[in-house]
Amino acid sequence: MVYPYITLADGTEIVHTQVFEEQGIQKVEVHFERPAEDGFDTARCQLPSYTWLIKEGFSAEEMDFFDRFMHSNAHLFYKYGTNGGVQIA
């Protein structure tokens, strides 16, 4: 299951998976996607290792921002990934 998290000002959609277990470790994958002329710019990061699985179309500066974003929001991805996404009223 994938849950919406936030849309950035440039149109980048950020979504995350539910928490899943792999080799005894609870993990979450976070996807960044933005429309581009030839399809989509895409990045995918896996927590808790902060491993970037995909980095296509985003600049180095954007990836630096995403890395900082991941570190400051990781606890929320786990919280919402356990509870079925962000619950809005």
Side-chain angles (χ1 to χ4, degrees), residues 17-22 25-29 46-47 81:
T17 65
Q18 65 189 27
V19 175
F20 62 95
E21 190 166 317
E22 193 173 84
I25 299 170
Q26 288 195 325
K27 298 182 177 189
V28 174
E29 287 188 3
Q46 188 175 84
L47 297 172

Side-chain angles (χ1 to χ4, degrees), residues 10-66:
D10 70 350
T12 300
E13 297 275 345
I14 302 174
V15 300
H16 62 90
T17 65
Q18 65 189 27
V19 175
F20 62 95
E21 190 166 317
E22 193 173 84
Q23 298 178 339
I25 299 170
Q26 288 195 325
K27 298 182 177 189
V28 174
E29 287 188 3
V30 181
H31 305 259
F32 299 77
E33 189 171 86
R34 174 180 65 198
E37 285 187 26
D38 58 345
F40 290 91
D41 298 329
T42 304
R44 181 180 308 156
C45 186
Q46 188 175 84
L47 297 172
S49 64
Y50 296 93
T51 301
W52 288 98
L53 306 172
I54 299 172
K55 295 189 287 187
E56 297 173 356
F58 290 107
S59 69
E61 293 81 20
E62 290 169 317
M63 291 306 301
D64 287 342
F65 170 79
F66 294 159

